[in-house]
Structure formats: structure tokens, C-alpha cells
Amino acid sequence: MTFGLTFEKLILIGFLAAMLIGPARLPVYAAGLRRVVDRATVFARSAEGRLREELGPEFTDSDWRQLDPRRFDPRRIVREALIAETEAPSAAEGRDRGVAAVPVEPTAGRRAVGQGETRA
């Protein structure tokens, strides 16, 4: 995570910090920055250790790279979804399972009957 910072931008920021802060106070601010980074590192390590402790051993051996969203190719997912056949149970399979087959009437050319109308 570089947040769009290139080497040239970092040098420019460092130069501007040196000019604004001044050479007398720059070592003090650099030491403060180092303390902040050290504390963040200790916090991250302790949080990771606590997370491993609370989740248990089954999560420590997990391969988290398998869940990386960059590994999923949308073209492959769509292709597999289109190729996979969705098999609807036939009437014979439905009877075997105890499910009654429901006949479906074709509705093409029919008009829906509204309120107050009767069917002819």
C-alpha cells in the first residue's frame, strides 16, 4: 500500500518537512515518527497473536490465498454457470419422491380476468 506515493514524491515530502520543521527539530520529529511506527508494529503483532489465540488452531493452518478475490476469473465463473445444466425433476422422479406432478396450462393468447369480469 503505497497510496500512490512514488519515490520522487517521498523525497519531495521529506525535503519540504526538513524545510518547514527545520534542522534543529527534525531529529526530534523523526524519533517521534519511529516511536509511532514501533507502537503500530507491536499493536499489529499483538492483535494477530490474539486473533490466532481466539480463533483456535483450525484457522492458523488455513490458506487465506484461496480466498483472494483476484483469483476468481469472472469469465470462467459465467462460462461454468452457463454450461452447468440445471436438472429439474421429471414427473416420474417426482412421483418417486412423493411429489405430485402439477399440470401447467399454456396461457398464450389468453387475457387475464380482472375484477368484475367473467370468463367466456
Side-chain angles (χ1 to χ4, degrees):
M1 284 194 290
T2 60
F3 304 107
L5 294 175
T6 61
F7 185 69
E8 294 84 17
K9 289 179 184 177
L10 289 174
I11 289 178
L12 181 64
I13 290 172
F15 180 73
L16 288 174
M19 297 308 282
L20 292 174
I21 294 172
R25 291 184 291 172
L26 191 60
V28 175
Y29 282 100
L33 179 63
R34 180 184 167 101
R35 280 192 304 271
V36 168
V37 170
D38 287 343
R39 285 181 190 163
T41 304
V42 168
F43 175 75
R45 286 186 183 151
S46 67
E48 180 184 359
R50 186 173 175 191
L51 185 67
R52 287 178 192 259
E53 178 183 304
E54 289 182 8
L55 290 178
E58 63 270 3
F59 287 101
T60 57
D61 297 334
S62 298
D63 187 16
W64 295 104
R65 288 174 287 180
Q66 290 177 346
L67 300 176
D68 187 8
R70 293 174 290 186
R71 293 187 65 222
F72 299 108
D73 182 18
R75 294 171 292 191
R76 181 184 53 84
I77 294 170
V78 170
R79 186 179 332 115
E80 289 175 359
L82 291 175
I83 291 174
E85 296 181 36
T86 55
E87 297 178 8
S90 64
E93 290 174 352
R95 271 186 259 122
D96 294 341
R97 293 182 189 164
V99 177
V102 178
V104 178
E105 290 184 30
T107 58
R110 286 184 142 174
R111 193 170 61 96
V113 178
Q115 199 172 23
E117 295 181 19
T118 59
R119 264 190 194 183

